[in-house]
Amino acid sequence: MAQPRVPWQVKFVALVLIWGSSFLLMKVGLESLAPVQISALRILTGAVVVTGLLLAGGGRLPAGARVWGHVLVCGFFLAALPFTLFALSETRVSSALAGIGNAATPIATVLATLAILPGARATGRRLVAVGVGFVGVVTIMQPWTSTEGPDLVGFSMALAGGASYGIGWTYNRRFLAGADLGGLAMPAATLLTGLGLMVPVTVGWAATTPEGLAAVTAHAPAADGPAWLPLLCVLALGVVGTGFAYVLQFDVVRGAGPIVGSTITYLIPVVSVLLGVLVLGEHLGTWQLVGFAVVLAAAWVVNRNPRSPEAVVTRARERAARV
């Protein structure tokens, strides 16, 4: 078998940087576009890229009404809902905090696995890690103070966006494992259904604005910097961060296996925090940094390779759900 021209390690680093920078790109995009516009444009451009690559490679989309019904659910939890929630959250919290919310994905996956996958069991270590992760989340939110903590609504949206991925991947494993045609078939179908869901959402949002349907394409001038920069950031978010990132994800999993590939989940918030602080000049308080460290530690334990035979079975199911 011929070796790939680009090693999977390079693609791994690229994927972490691409997905970690998505929160920075959304923050800049919000200077000119509304959250719903960002989510819709992101899914549209991502769907065009992935579907185009699928068709160019001779691939085909899944078939059958039942399969597409389940894909529609995945399109909701893996595209329409999280993309919109993350964009909405960044209207109220920093990109760094929104990125931290993404660390809820592996923790939510444990709970979704127990609820969705028949016969799935979690080890005591992982259940403890889930509890510790919640402690970290509470530490970040600082409910004991009303002045120093982050906006609770905004950070809750980010957490819900991260949790949505965990639910979506687990649902995908439960109902679509046998229908996956391999390659980019399922990612393309997921983005296409997510795009279909965003059409009525975008139209409904526009109908509530003074501009009416014209709001779908309207944009405000950037407050600082070139006028074209916010739109360019959102296009990059869709084409690179949603389109080509899917290709990289599959290549990493094929080259290194799902266990190594899934560690991307808890490296993304590290990149988002660094970019938020270094590029946008954002600031995290002491308790937020402490909570961030606790959440990352919990996510690492959740992703850690299990040792018992029972844990191996459960782990394999969850890893396959993320592929």
Side-chain angles (χ1 to χ4, degrees):
M1 181 180 293
Q3 295 295 320
R5 295 181 180 179
V6 181
W8 68 262
Q9 293 90 341
V10 175
K11 297 177 181 179
F12 180 95
V13 174
L15 192 53
V16 170
L17 294 175
I18 288 171
W19 277 343
S21 64
S22 64
F23 298 92
L24 168 67
L25 295 176
M26 279 186 282
K27 198 69 171 180
V28 177
L30 285 169
E31 293 183 6
S32 294
L33 300 171
V36 173
Q37 289 176 296
I38 291 176
S39 177
L41 185 57
R42 176 180 184 179
I43 296 175
L44 172 61
T45 51
V48 169
V49 170
V50 177
T51 305
L53 291 173
L54 171 70
L55 298 178
R60 59 189 178 90
L61 292 169
R66 179 178 174 276
V67 170
W68 278 97
H70 290 308
V71 172
L72 183 66
V73 176
C74 291
F76 175 75
F77 282 110
L78 296 177
L81 180 61
F83 292 173
T84 303
L85 284 176
F86 279 126
L88 284 169
S89 73
E90 292 202 37
T91 64
R92 308 176 69 107
V93 298
S94 65
S95 67
L97 272 174
I100 292 175
N102 198 82
T105 299
I107 297 173
T109 301
V110 174
L111 301 178
T113 298
L114 294 175
I116 298 176
L117 294 183
R121 291 184 295 174
T123 62
R125 170 179 58 82
R126 300 184 76 195
L127 292 176
V128 170
V130 170
V132 172
F134 281 120
V135 172
V137 169
V138 172
T139 303
I140 295 171
M141 299 178 80
Q142 297 172 251
W144 55 84
T145 176
S146 59
T147 57
E148 298 179 8
D151 182 278
L152 296 182
V153 174
F155 188 60
S156 295
M157 288 179 180
L159 289 173
S164 180
Y165 290 133
I167 297 171
W169 287 123
T170 308
Y171 184 95
N172 182 285
R173 170 58 179 168
R174 172 68 176 84
F175 296 103
L176 290 171
D180 195 341
L181 302 178
L184 297 173
M186 202 56 68
T190 301
L191 286 174
L192 287 173
T193 54
L195 179 60
L197 290 169
M198 286 305 301
V199 170
V201 171
T202 306
V203 172
W205 161 78
T208 64
T209 65
E211 297 88 351
L213 293 180
V216 173
T217 58
H219 63 279
D224 187 21
W228 47 263
L229 184 60
L231 180 59
L232 180 63
C233 285
V234 176
L235 291 175
L237 182 64
V239 174
V240 181
T242 307
F244 288 109
Y246 271 104
V247 181
L248 292 176
Q249 182 189 29
F250 278 92
D251 286 347
V252 169
V253 172
R254 292 187 185 106
I259 292 178
V260 174
S262 69
T263 59
I264 293 170
T265 301
Y266 58 91
L267 291 176
I268 291 172
V270 177
V271 175
S272 71
V273 169
L274 289 175
L275 289 177
V277 172
L278 298 177
V279 178
L280 298 178
E282 297 174 345
H283 174 73
L284 292 177
T286 301
W287 284 111
Q288 293 169 4
L289 290 172
V290 171
F292 179 34
V294 172
V295 170
L296 279 184
W300 179 81
V301 172
V302 166
N303 276 282
R304 205 172 147 201
N305 192 18
R307 298 177 181 177
S308 68
E310 296 81 1
V312 170
V313 173
T314 301
R315 191 66 165 185
R317 286 172 175 169
E318 294 177 21
R319 296 302 186 192
R322 293 185 190 139
V323 176

